[in-house]
Structure formats: C-alpha cells, structure tokens
Amino acid sequence: MSPKSQRVLVTGGAGYIGSHTLPELMMAGHEVHVIDDLSNGHGVALERCRQIVGRDFGFSEADIRDAARVSEVIRAFGPDVVIHFAGLKSPSESIEKPDLYREVNVIGSLRLLDAMRAGGCQRLVFSSSAAVYGPPDFLPISEDHPRRPTTPYGASKAEVEDILVQEAAKDTTLTCAILRYFNPVGAHASGLIGEHPQDIPTNLVPYIVDVARGRLPRLNVFGDDYGTPDGTGVRDYIHVTDLARAHVAALDWTAGATGAREFNLGAGEGTSVRDLIRTFETATGRDIPFVVAPRRPGDVASSYADPGRAERELKWKAELTLTDMCRSAWAWGARNPEGYA
Ligand code: NAD
Ligand code: WQD
C-alpha cells in the first residue's frame, strides 16, 4: 500500500505500459491525470481502464513537446509526481528517423521536466530501457553495467538518463527513479487492455499471438546457433502487470529519496525463444508452427537483468510467471482480434 494518496500525472498513459499502470495506481489510492497525444495510444484503452477500476480520471490530449499546454495541465492538476512513459519506442524506426527520436524522447522529456519544475513538481519516474546497455559484457546485467546503446532509440534514453542525473546532482530537491525495462509482455487479467497489434508485429510475443490466431502462418525463429542452451536468443520477459506495479513502488520510493537512481526491471531469468514457444503452447493449447530463419541483425544472444536493486530498494519483484504472460497475451489477443480498433 502507498503511504498516502498522491496526484500522479501520467504521460503516455494511453499506451501499452501506461494503460496497465493506470489501474494499479488507482487501486493503490492515487489520483491520476493522463497526457497523451494518441500518436500510438488509444482513447478506448483509457475507457477500459475506467471500466476496470470503476472510477473516472482526467485526460488531456497533448504533445509533451508543447510546453505551454503541458504547463497549463500541470498548473490545473497540480501533480505530486510525474510518471513519464510518452515517447517513441522502436529501435529499428529510430535508425531511419534519428532526429525524430531525439526530438520526441530527449527534447520532449526536457520540456516536460521544465514544466514540472516550474509548476513545483520535483518527483519523476522515467521509462528507460535495457536498450541503453547494448551488447552485454556480463550477465545478469546490473545497473552499473556500461551503457553502449547501439541505436538512436537507446541513445535517446541514455541521454535523458544523463540529463536527469546531472539535474538531480545540481538540485537536491529533484528525485528521479530511472526504470530500465527489459522485455515487457502479456496483458491485463481482465482481458480488456493489452498490446495493440501493429500490422505485422516485430516483437516475439505479439507475433506468436498472431500465429496462434491464424493470422500469420508460422513464426520465424531468428537464429538457433547462438551460444545459448538451445541455440535461440535468451531474454528477460516481464509481465506488464508486474512492471505496472513497479511504477507504484517507484512512486513511493520518490517520496522518501533524493537524487536520480537507476533500477533494472526484469524477472531476472533468461528465457529462450524455444522455451517461450513451448510455454505458450502448453499454457494456451494452441500450436505454434515455426521455422528457423537467419539471425536478425543487431540481436544479441542473451540479455537478462539483475533486478536485485529494485527488490532491495523499491521493495518490488516480479511475481507473475511466463505461463501468466502467455495466457494473458492470448486471452487479450483472442478476445480483441483487432486490438482497440
Ligand atoms: P506505447 O507506444 O504503447 O506508449 C507510448 C505512449 O506515448 C502512446 O500512447 C503514445 O501515443 C504516447 N506518445 C508518444 N509520443 C508522444 C508525445 N510526443 N506526446 C504525448 N504522448 C506521446 O509504448 P509502451 O510500450 O507503452 O512504452 C512506454 C515507454 O516505455 C516508452 O517510453 C518506451 O520507450 C519505454 N519502453 C518500452 C518497452 C517495450 O518493450 N514496450 C521496453 C523498454 C522501454
Ligand atoms: C525477443 C527474442 C529475437 C521476433 C525489443 C527492443 C528493446 C525493448 C524490448 C524498447 C529475440 C526473437 C523475435 C520474431 C524471433 N523495447 N524473435 N522471431 O529485440 O529483445 O527487444 O523490445 O525499449 O529495445 O529491441 O525483443 O520481442 O523483438 O525479440 O525469433 O519474429 O525473440 O531474435 O531473441 P528484443 P523481441
């Protein structure tokens, strides 16, 4: 339980992770207000969050780069803390549009930070990514692992992290929880919210869901000759509901801490592509035909977190299983074949 009810401004709350965080925040007793430009988020997701919790909350359709508009929302809502999900998230798209990624992710975050501080809000929870690490030197990856992002997306997250660390060093009233997510998957237990499918998904779990419902014929397993136990890529999958709960814990942490601190958010366990296929098949009773395809350029063999710092300092750890992730992803996918459309 949170120490007391807080006013929480959630940027990007209509997106995948943001929408799963809203019910957790409200169930912990917090008041929320969402800012989202709906460029990749969905008004229906917000409606469904209201339905899940049985409570209303405010929403402003706005771009985080619009300083005047964001300041106005902050003045009106008066947040105690901001959770900043809004941003662009595709590593491959960022290679084609590096300027756009810098503009939205870095400049957008800077404008938001300015508006927060001008409005008297000094606590921030920021969505970073394991993409800041690049190819791992050692496993599991701890927060002091060197950061060598390999895409403009990862670089944009690393740049925001640097700004937050520098600003918090200069201003001791500023507190920032920098959350580095590994591989968020799955959907809400209600089956009402989940990850909205792109045309053809690029991420593994949404792709598997599309194979399970017959929209795609088979999964391409990108490489089975890595130096991993079964040769396929190993990742740290984390249930989006566990991830959402970590934000409630991080918000509590910002109430009692100072400075900027990085936290890995993962289950701390490596799962291979073959493990995931098998677990999905057992959990859902669907067959997932696959073929082995060439390695995907830029992929690493293994990446998984040491989530010990989050457990010690945020008092949070992932609790849901890979089976829960597969079952919930399938329940959402089967019930909402067109996502929110
Ligand atoms: P998402 O695209 O589903 O959600 C992002 C939301 O931000 C969307 O609703 C979108 O409309 C909104 N948005 C984008 N640009 C905006 C702008 N300029 N102004 C206002 N709103 C804007 O993505 P997600 O998967 O929920 O990711 C949330 C955050 O977590 C992102 O910052 C992402 O980089 C980070 N992250 C995601 C993953 C992942 O695998 N999903 C992994 C690591 C980190
Ligand atoms: C997982 C594994 C693939 C698709 C990405 C971003 C990262 C972060 C999370 C934002 C790998 C294999 C995949 C397929 C496959 N996002 N795979 N066939 O690449 O670990 O991380 O999402 O911050 O920045 O890069 O996730 O789900 O794409 O891949 O075999 O059709 O599944 O090779 O081993 P990834 P993923």
Side-chain angles (χ1 to χ4, degrees), residues 117-197:
R117 296 169 86 184
C121 177
Q122 294 284 79
R123 293 162 52 199
L124 177 69
V125 177
F126 173 62
S127 297
S128 189
S129 169
V132 298
Y133 292 118
D137 292 344
F138 55 83
L139 292 166
I141 299 172
S142 53
E143 288 82 355
D144 54 11
H145 186 286
R147 294 176 316 157
R148 283 187 302 262
T150 55
T151 61
Y153 166 70
S156 73
K157 293 290 182 186
E159 192 174 345
V160 177
E161 290 191 353
D162 290 341
I163 292 167
L164 298 179
V165 169
Q166 283 157 19
E167 289 302 308
K170 282 192 279 183
D171 175 357
T172 53
T173 66
L174 183 67
T175 306
C176 305
I178 294 169
L179 307 183
R180 294 176 178 158
Y181 316 152
F182 277 69
N183 289 59
V185 299
H188 194 263
S190 63
L192 287 172
I193 53 173
E195 192 166 11
H196 183 83

Side-chain angles (χ1 to χ4, degrees), residues 17 88-92 127-132 151 153-154 157 181-185 200-208 218-223 226 232-237 271-274 276-277 291 293-296 298-303:
I17 303 169
L88 302 177
K89 65 164 176 179
S90 162
S92 55
S127 297
S128 189
S129 169
V132 298
T151 61
Y153 166 70
K157 293 290 182 186
Y181 316 152
F182 277 69
N183 289 59
V185 299
I200 295 186
T202 52
N203 290 122
L204 180 61
V205 171
Y207 201 105
I208 288 180
R218 71 194 68 81
L219 172 71
N220 297 301
V221 173
F222 297 144
Y226 285 107
T232 66
V234 166
R235 296 291 182 274
D236 188 340
Y237 298 96
T271 299
S272 75
V273 177
R274 293 293 299 271
L276 190 45
I277 297 170
V291 291
R295 290 180 180 192
R296 185 171 64 178
D299 273 357
V300 298
S302 290
S303 166

Side-chain angles (χ1 to χ4, degrees), residues 262-326:
E262 305 81 3
F263 298 97
N264 282 341
L265 297 182
E269 259 171 50
T271 299
S272 75
V273 177
R274 293 293 299 271
D275 290 334
L276 190 45
I277 297 170
R278 252 192 311 273
T279 306
F280 189 95
E281 289 183 327
T282 309
T284 65
R286 314 296 295 186
D287 277 343
I288 304 299
F290 67 87
V291 291
V292 176
R295 290 180 180 192
R296 185 171 64 178
D299 273 357
V300 298
S302 290
S303 166
Y304 52 93
D306 171 355
R309 182 186 285 179
E311 185 172 352
R312 288 187 302 274
E313 300 181 24
L314 302 182
K315 316 288 179 224
W316 165 90
K317 75 184 188 34
E319 281 170 354
L320 298 166
T321 64
L322 197 64
T323 297
D324 298 323
M325 301 178 212
C326 293

